[in-house]
Amino acid sequence: MKTHKEIDSMIQNGANLIQTRETQKGCDIWLEAWEGIKVLMRKTGATKLNELQKKYPFEDFLTNYVQDLEMELHNAGIDDPRYHEKRITYCTELLEYCGDDQNIIENTRRAIAESYADLGDMETCDRLFEGWLQEDPTWGWGYNGWSDCHCFYLSGPCNYQKGEQILLRGLAQPELRDRIDVVSRLIELYERMQEPEKTREYKTLLQQLMPSASEKSLYYKPSPIIKPAKTGRNEPCPCGSGKKYKKCCGVKMVV
């Protein structure tokens, strides 16, 4: 069994490979590290990643590593579809260990369905999103992710009408979370569909929603702070996401 120091070293080695664009090799090492993490969790009795993080001093937050691995598996799959399959397997396992971290749960669910779309299995993609959105009909980024699978992730013809239908279904939910981001995606869709009137209509709505943007939104504008404390790029993000600042609010697009 690998020690936590060996696992930590593998995570750093994988990151170095990915930075030099050796994405598949980096993902392979990260997946091997993931196998070690699962064994370590069973040995220590930890049931959640944050419990393991408290037991061992990993150089980086495990929450950063697991989310980065999910994203890089997608990138690796662009050249080799087998990595989309590996992403499905990995993300299915990750859901068992992320505890009640809603952000990771939602991102991981999206990754699973998107991977099926990348593999051309739209039936499974639709079934997964349908089930999750019946469970939580206010999940704004769920509608975005589902629409994207029909409009932006396909290697073949895009189904803009299906994507529009999904986004409008989301906007019909009175308590929809991240409504502004769903509106933004609809604007992008209408621009691609060359629908100028609808584009203008939803751009007007976007401006109206700006003040209500949540802290997770790309359109969130924090209140001015007098003499704000500077957050280091490698320090925990003050928003409480569990990520490093440089991988969270430090890269947000503010409109």
Side-chain angles (χ1 to χ4, degrees):
M1 186 189 78
K2 290 181 173 59
T3 66
H4 95 275
K5 290 184 178 180
E6 291 173 324
I7 295 170
D8 199 23
S9 179
M10 293 172 67
I11 292 174
Q12 302 310 315
N13 290 339
N16 292 335
L17 285 168
I18 287 170
Q19 286 184 344
T20 58
R21 299 187 183 278
E22 296 183 81
T23 305
Q24 293 181 11
K25 289 183 179 179
C27 285
D28 289 341
I29 291 178
W30 272 359
L31 286 172
E32 188 177 351
W34 173 247
E35 293 302 316
I37 286 173
K38 290 189 295 180
V39 172
L40 200 58
M41 291 185 73
R42 288 193 292 268
K43 178 187 175 184
T44 60
T47 59
K48 304 175 184 178
L49 288 170
N50 60 0
E51 293 176 0
L52 193 66
Q53 181 80 57
K54 292 176 182 178
K55 292 178 182 289
Y56 297 105
F58 286 92
E59 184 172 335
D60 198 0
F61 293 111
L62 289 178
T63 50
N64 280 350
Y65 151 70
V66 297
Q67 293 181 88
D68 287 347
L69 175 52
E70 172 261 299
M71 291 186 290
E72 294 302 335
L73 284 169
H74 166 74
N75 293 334
I78 294 173
D79 294 322
D80 186 345
R82 291 178 300 174
Y83 285 87
H84 292 316
E85 297 173 355
K86 293 180 180 183
R87 189 183 187 210
I88 291 170
T89 300
Y90 162 70
C91 287
T92 301
E93 294 175 349
L94 178 56
L95 286 175
E96 299 178 17
Y97 295 102
C98 60
D100 57 358
D101 190 317
Q102 193 63 23
N103 186 56
I104 295 182
I105 291 172
E106 291 179 355
N107 289 343
T108 303
R109 284 179 168 181
R110 284 179 59 194
I112 293 172
E114 289 166 2
S115 296
Y116 278 109
D118 284 325
L119 290 168
D121 186 354
M122 294 306 299
E123 181 178 352
T124 300
C125 171
D126 289 343
R127 176 174 55 78
L128 289 172
F129 272 122
E130 185 68 59
W132 291 327
L133 286 167
Q134 284 185 7
E135 176 186 325
D136 180 9
T138 66
W139 178 25
W141 277 98
Y143 295 101
N144 274 1
W146 191 4
S147 176
D148 286 353
C149 287
H150 285 276
C151 300
F152 303 116
Y153 294 152
L154 294 177
S155 57
C158 294
N159 189 343
Y160 291 142
Q161 287 70 32
K162 177 69 173 180
E164 176 190 23
Q165 178 186 10
I166 291 168
L167 294 174
L168 291 176
R169 171 178 164 181
L171 291 177
Q173 297 295 327
E175 303 299 323
L176 183 72
R177 303 193 306 277
D178 301 308
R179 179 178 296 274
I180 190 171
D181 296 291
V182 178
V183 170
S184 175
R185 186 66 96 251
L186 193 56
I187 291 170
E188 184 177 357
L189 184 58
Y190 282 140
E191 288 176 339
R192 293 196 176 203
M193 296 171 69
Q194 299 183 348
E195 295 274 5
E197 292 187 8
K198 291 182 179 179
T199 299
R200 285 194 294 270
E201 175 187 350
Y202 282 93
K203 280 187 175 180
T204 299
L205 177 58
L206 183 72
Q207 292 299 320
Q208 295 172 353
L209 292 171
M210 287 287 190
S212 62
S214 72
E215 293 184 5
K216 294 192 306 179
S217 173
L218 297 175
Y219 295 92
Y220 175 66
K221 291 186 178 181
S223 301
I225 301 175
I226 300 176
K227 294 182 180 180
K230 184 176 180 180
T231 303
R233 284 173 55 76
N234 289 309
E235 293 179 12
C237 189
C239 77
S241 67
K243 292 187 176 183
K244 287 185 178 181
Y245 176 70
K246 67 182 180 182
K247 294 185 177 181
C248 190
C249 294
V251 296
K252 280 191 176 180
M253 175 186 72
V254 179
V255 174

Coordinates of all heavy atoms in Angstrom, one line a residue, residues 64-112:
N64 N -9.1 20.2 -4.6 CA -8.5 20.7 -5.9 C -8.1 19.6 -6.8 O -8.5 19.6 -8.0 CB -7.3 21.6 -5.6 CG -7.7 23.0 -5.2 OD1 -8.8 23.4 -5.2 ND2 -6.7 23.7 -4.7
Y65 N -7.4 18.6 -6.3 CA -6.9 17.5 -7.1 C -8.0 16.7 -7.8 O -8.0 16.4 -8.9 CB -6.0 16.6 -6.2 CG -6.0 15.1 -6.6 CD1 -5.4 14.7 -7.8 CD2 -6.7 14.2 -5.8 CE1 -5.4 13.4 -8.1 CE2 -6.7 12.8 -6.2 CZ -6.0 12.4 -7.3 OH -6.0 11.1 -7.7
V66 N -9.1 16.4 -7.0 CA -10.1 15.5 -7.6 C -10.9 16.3 -8.7 O -11.3 15.6 -9.6 CB -11.1 15.0 -6.5 CG1 -10.3 14.1 -5.5 CG2 -11.8 16.1 -5.7
Q67 N -11.1 17.6 -8.5 CA -11.8 18.3 -9.5 C -10.9 18.6 -10.7 O -11.4 18.5 -11.9 CB -12.3 19.6 -8.9 CG -13.4 19.4 -7.9 CD -13.9 20.7 -7.3 OE1 -14.8 21.3 -7.9 NE2 -13.3 21.2 -6.2
D68 N -9.6 18.8 -10.5 CA -8.7 18.9 -11.6 C -8.6 17.7 -12.5 O -8.6 17.7 -13.7 CB -7.3 19.3 -11.1 CG -7.2 20.8 -10.6 OD1 -8.2 21.5 -10.9 OD2 -6.2 21.1 -10.0
L69 N -8.6 16.5 -11.8 CA -8.5 15.2 -12.5 C -9.8 15.0 -13.4 O -9.7 14.6 -14.5 CB -8.4 14.1 -11.5 CG -8.5 12.7 -12.1 CD1 -7.4 12.5 -13.2 CD2 -8.2 11.6 -10.9
E70 N -10.9 15.4 -12.8 CA -12.1 15.3 -13.6 C -12.0 16.1 -14.9 O -12.4 15.6 -16.0 CB -13.3 15.8 -12.8 CG -14.6 15.9 -13.5 CD -14.9 17.3 -14.0 OE1 -15.0 18.2 -13.1 OE2 -15.0 17.6 -15.2
M71 N -11.5 17.3 -14.8 CA -11.4 18.2 -16.0 C -10.4 17.7 -17.0 O -10.6 17.7 -18.2 CB -11.1 19.6 -15.5 CG -12.3 20.3 -14.8 SD -12.0 22.1 -14.4 CE -10.7 21.9 -13.2
E72 N -9.2 17.3 -16.4 CA -8.2 16.8 -17.3 C -8.5 15.5 -18.0 O -8.0 15.3 -19.1 CB -6.9 16.7 -16.5 CG -6.3 18.0 -16.0 CD -6.1 19.0 -17.1 OE1 -5.8 18.6 -18.3 OE2 -6.1 20.3 -16.8
L73 N -9.3 14.7 -17.4 CA -9.7 13.5 -18.1 C -10.6 13.8 -19.3 O -10.5 13.1 -20.4 CB -10.6 12.6 -17.1 CG -9.7 11.8 -16.1 CD1 -10.6 11.2 -15.1 CD2 -8.9 10.7 -16.8
H74 N -11.3 14.9 -19.2 CA -12.1 15.3 -20.4 C -11.1 15.8 -21.5 O -11.3 15.4 -22.7 CB -13.0 16.5 -20.1 CG -13.5 17.2 -21.2 ND1 -14.5 16.7 -22.1 CD2 -13.2 18.4 -21.8 CE1 -14.7 17.6 -23.0 NE2 -13.9 18.6 -22.9
N75 N -10.1 16.5 -21.1 CA -9.1 17.0 -22.1 C -8.4 15.8 -22.7 O -8.1 15.8 -24.0 CB -8.1 17.9 -21.4 CG -8.7 19.2 -21.0 OD1 -9.8 19.7 -21.5 ND2 -8.2 19.9 -20.0
A76 N -8.0 14.8 -21.9 CA -7.3 13.7 -22.5 C -8.2 12.9 -23.4 O -7.8 12.3 -24.4 CB -6.9 12.7 -21.3
G77 N -9.5 12.9 -23.2 CA -10.5 12.2 -24.0 C -10.7 12.8 -25.4 O -11.2 12.1 -26.3
I78 N -10.3 14.1 -25.5 CA -10.4 14.7 -26.9 C -9.6 13.9 -27.9 O -10.0 13.7 -29.0 CB -10.0 16.2 -26.8 CG1 -11.0 17.0 -25.9 CG2 -9.9 16.8 -28.2 CD1 -10.5 18.4 -25.6
D79 N -8.4 13.4 -27.5 CA -7.5 12.7 -28.4 C -7.7 11.2 -28.3 O -7.4 10.5 -29.2 CB -6.1 13.0 -28.1 CG -5.7 14.5 -28.4 OD1 -6.3 15.0 -29.4 OD2 -5.0 15.1 -27.7
D80 N -8.2 10.7 -27.1 CA -8.4 9.3 -26.9 C -9.7 9.1 -26.1 O -9.7 9.3 -24.9 CB -7.2 8.7 -26.1 CG -7.3 7.2 -26.0 OD1 -8.3 6.6 -26.2 OD2 -6.2 6.6 -25.6
P81 N -10.8 8.7 -26.8 CA -12.1 8.5 -26.1 C -12.1 7.6 -24.9 O -13.0 7.6 -24.1 CB -13.0 7.9 -27.3 CG -12.3 8.4 -28.5 CD -10.8 8.3 -28.2
R82 N -11.1 6.7 -24.8 CA -11.0 5.8 -23.6 C -11.0 6.6 -22.3 O -11.4 6.2 -21.3 CB -9.8 4.9 -23.7 CG -9.9 3.9 -24.8 CD -8.6 3.0 -24.8 NE -7.4 3.9 -25.1 CZ -6.1 3.5 -25.0 NH1 -5.9 2.2 -24.8 NH2 -5.1 4.3 -25.3
Y83 N -10.5 7.9 -22.4 CA -10.4 8.7 -21.2 C -11.8 9.2 -20.8 O -12.0 9.6 -19.7 CB -9.4 9.8 -21.4 CG -8.0 9.3 -21.2 CD1 -7.3 8.8 -22.3 CD2 -7.3 9.2 -20.0 CE1 -6.0 8.3 -22.2 CE2 -6.0 8.7 -19.9 CZ -5.4 8.2 -21.0 OH -4.1 7.7 -20.9
H84 N -12.7 9.3 -21.8 CA -14.1 9.6 -21.4 C -14.7 8.5 -20.6 O -15.4 8.7 -19.6 CB -14.9 9.9 -22.7 CG -14.5 11.1 -23.5 ND1 -14.3 12.3 -22.9 CD2 -14.4 11.3 -24.8 CE1 -14.0 13.2 -23.8 NE2 -14.0 12.6 -25.0
E85 N -14.3 7.3 -20.9 CA -14.8 6.1 -20.2 C -14.2 6.1 -18.8 O -14.9 5.8 -17.8 CB -14.5 4.8 -20.9 CG -15.2 4.7 -22.3 CD -14.8 3.5 -23.1 OE1 -13.8 2.8 -22.6 OE2 -15.3 3.3 -24.2
K86 N -12.9 6.4 -18.7 CA -12.2 6.5 -17.4 C -12.8 7.6 -16.6 O -12.9 7.5 -15.4 CB -10.7 6.7 -17.6 CG -10.0 5.6 -18.3 CD -8.5 5.9 -18.5 CE -7.8 4.7 -19.1 NZ -6.3 4.9 -19.3
R87 N -13.2 8.7 -17.2 CA -13.8 9.8 -16.5 C -15.1 9.4 -15.9 O -15.4 9.8 -14.7 CB -14.0 11.0 -17.4 CG -14.4 12.3 -16.8 CD -14.7 13.3 -17.9 NE -15.0 14.6 -17.3 CZ -15.7 15.5 -17.9 NH1 -16.3 15.3 -19.1 NH2 -15.9 16.7 -17.4
I88 N -15.9 8.6 -16.6 CA -17.2 8.1 -16.0 C -17.0 7.2 -14.8 O -17.6 7.4 -13.8 CB -18.0 7.4 -17.1 CG1 -18.5 8.3 -18.2 CG2 -19.2 6.6 -16.5 CD1 -19.0 7.6 -19.4
T89 N -16.0 6.3 -14.9 CA -15.7 5.4 -13.8 C -15.2 6.2 -12.6 O -15.7 6.0 -11.5 CB -14.7 4.4 -14.2 OG1 -15.2 3.6 -15.3 CG2 -14.3 3.4 -13.1
Y90 N -14.3 7.1 -12.9 CA -13.7 7.9 -11.8 C -14.7 8.7 -11.1 O -14.8 8.8 -9.9 CB -12.5 8.7 -12.3 CG -12.2 9.9 -11.4 CD1 -11.5 9.6 -10.2 CD2 -12.5 11.2 -11.8 CE1 -11.2 10.7 -9.4 CE2 -12.1 12.2 -10.9 CZ -11.5 12.0 -9.7 OH -11.2 13.0 -8.9
C91 N -15.5 9.5 -11.9 CA -16.5 10.4 -11.3 C -17.6 9.6 -10.5 O -18.1 10.1 -9.5 CB -17.1 11.2 -12.4 SG -16.0 12.5 -13.0
T92 N -18.0 8.5 -11.0 CA -18.9 7.6 -10.3 C -18.4 7.3 -8.9 O -19.1 7.3 -7.9 CB -19.3 6.4 -11.1 OG1 -19.8 6.8 -12.4 CG2 -20.3 5.5 -10.3
E93 N -17.1 7.0 -8.8 CA -16.5 6.6 -7.5 C -16.4 7.9 -6.7 O -16.6 7.9 -5.5 CB -15.1 6.1 -7.8 CG -15.1 4.7 -8.4 CD -13.7 4.2 -8.8 OE1 -12.7 4.9 -8.6 OE2 -13.6 3.0 -9.1
L94 N -16.0 9.0 -7.3 CA -15.8 10.3 -6.6 C -17.1 10.7 -5.8 O -17.1 11.2 -4.7 CB -15.4 11.4 -7.5 CG -15.2 12.8 -6.9 CD1 -14.2 12.8 -5.8 CD2 -14.8 13.8 -8.0
L95 N -18.3 10.4 -6.4 CA -19.5 10.7 -5.8 C -19.7 10.0 -4.4 O -20.4 10.5 -3.5 CB -20.7 10.4 -6.7 CG -20.9 11.3 -7.9 CD1 -22.0 10.8 -8.7 CD2 -21.2 12.8 -7.4
E96 N -19.0 8.9 -4.3 CA -19.1 8.1 -3.0 C -18.2 8.8 -1.9 O -18.5 8.5 -0.7 CB -18.7 6.7 -3.2 CG -19.5 5.9 -4.2 CD -19.0 4.5 -4.5 OE1 -18.2 4.1 -3.6 OE2 -19.3 3.9 -5.5
Y97 N -17.3 9.6 -2.3 CA -16.3 10.1 -1.3 C -16.3 11.6 -1.1 O -15.6 12.1 -0.2 CB -14.9 9.7 -1.8 CG -14.6 8.2 -1.8 CD1 -14.6 7.5 -3.0 CD2 -14.4 7.5 -0.6 CE1 -14.4 6.1 -3.0 CE2 -14.1 6.1 -0.6 CZ -14.2 5.4 -1.8 OH -13.9 4.1 -1.9
C98 N -17.1 12.3 -1.8 CA -17.1 13.8 -1.7 C -18.0 14.3 -0.6 O -18.1 15.5 -0.4 CB -17.5 14.4 -3.0 SG -19.1 14.0 -3.7
G99 N -18.7 13.4 0.1 CA -19.5 13.8 1.2 C -20.7 14.7 0.8 O -21.3 14.4 -0.2
D100 N -20.9 15.8 1.5 CA -22.0 16.6 1.2 C -21.6 17.9 0.5 O -22.3 18.9 0.5 CB -22.8 17.0 2.4 CG -22.0 17.6 3.5 OD1 -20.7 17.8 3.3 OD2 -22.5 18.0 4.6
D101 N -20.4 17.9 -0.1 CA -19.9 19.0 -0.8 C -20.7 19.2 -2.1 O -20.5 18.6 -3.1 CB -18.4 18.9 -1.2 CG -17.8 20.1 -1.7 OD1 -18.4 20.8 -2.6 OD2 -16.6 20.4 -1.4
Q102 N -21.7 20.1 -2.0 CA -22.7 20.2 -3.1 C -22.0 20.7 -4.4 O -22.4 20.2 -5.5 CB -23.8 21.2 -2.8 CG -25.0 21.2 -3.7 CD -25.7 19.9 -3.7 OE1 -25.7 19.1 -2.7 NE2 -26.5 19.6 -4.7
N103 N -21.0 21.5 -4.3 CA -20.3 22.0 -5.5 C -19.7 20.8 -6.3 O -19.8 20.7 -7.5 CB -19.3 23.0 -5.2 CG -18.6 23.7 -6.4 OD1 -19.3 24.2 -7.3 ND2 -17.3 23.6 -6.5
I104 N -18.9 20.0 -5.5 CA -18.3 18.8 -6.2 C -19.3 17.8 -6.7 O -19.2 17.3 -7.8 CB -17.3 18.1 -5.2 CG1 -16.2 19.1 -4.8 CG2 -16.8 16.8 -5.8 CD1 -15.2 18.4 -3.9
I105 N -20.4 17.6 -5.9 CA -21.4 16.7 -6.4 C -22.0 17.1 -7.7 O -22.1 16.4 -8.7 CB -22.6 16.6 -5.3 CG1 -22.1 15.9 -4.1 CG2 -23.8 15.8 -5.9 CD1 -23.0 15.9 -2.9
E106 N -22.4 18.4 -7.8 CA -23.0 18.9 -9.0 C -22.0 18.9 -10.2 O -22.4 18.5 -11.3 CB -23.5 20.3 -8.8 CG -24.7 20.4 -7.8 CD -25.2 21.8 -7.6 OE1 -24.5 22.7 -8.1 OE2 -26.2 21.9 -6.9
N107 N -20.8 19.3 -10.0 CA -19.8 19.3 -11.1 C -19.5 17.9 -11.5 O -19.3 17.6 -12.7 CB -18.5 19.9 -10.6 CG -18.6 21.4 -10.4 OD1 -19.5 22.1 -11.0 ND2 -17.7 22.0 -9.7
T108 N -19.5 16.9 -10.6 CA -19.2 15.5 -10.9 C -20.3 14.9 -11.7 O -20.1 14.1 -12.6 CB -18.9 14.7 -9.6 OG1 -17.8 15.4 -8.9 CG2 -18.5 13.3 -10.0
R109 N -21.5 15.2 -11.3 CA -22.7 14.7 -12.0 C -22.7 15.2 -13.5 O -22.9 14.4 -14.4 CB -24.0 15.1 -11.3 CG -24.3 14.3 -10.1 CD -25.6 14.8 -9.4 NE -26.0 13.9 -8.4 CZ -27.1 14.0 -7.7 NH1 -27.9 15.1 -7.9 NH2 -27.5 13.1 -6.8
R110 N -22.4 16.5 -13.6 CA -22.3 17.0 -15.0 C -21.2 16.3 -15.8 O -21.4 16.0 -17.0 CB -22.0 18.5 -14.9 CG -23.2 19.4 -14.5 CD -22.8 20.9 -14.4 NE -22.2 21.3 -15.7 CZ -21.6 22.5 -15.9 NH1 -21.3 23.2 -14.8 NH2 -21.2 22.9 -17.1
A111 N -20.1 16.1 -15.1 CA -19.0 15.4 -15.9 C -19.4 14.0 -16.4 O -19.0 13.6 -17.5 CB -17.7 15.3 -14.9
I112 N -20.1 13.3 -15.6 CA -20.5 11.9 -16.0 C -21.4 12.0 -17.2 O -21.2 11.3 -18.2 CB -21.3 11.2 -14.8 CG1 -20.3 11.0 -13.7 CG2 -21.9 9.9 -15.3 CD1 -21.0 10.4 -12.4

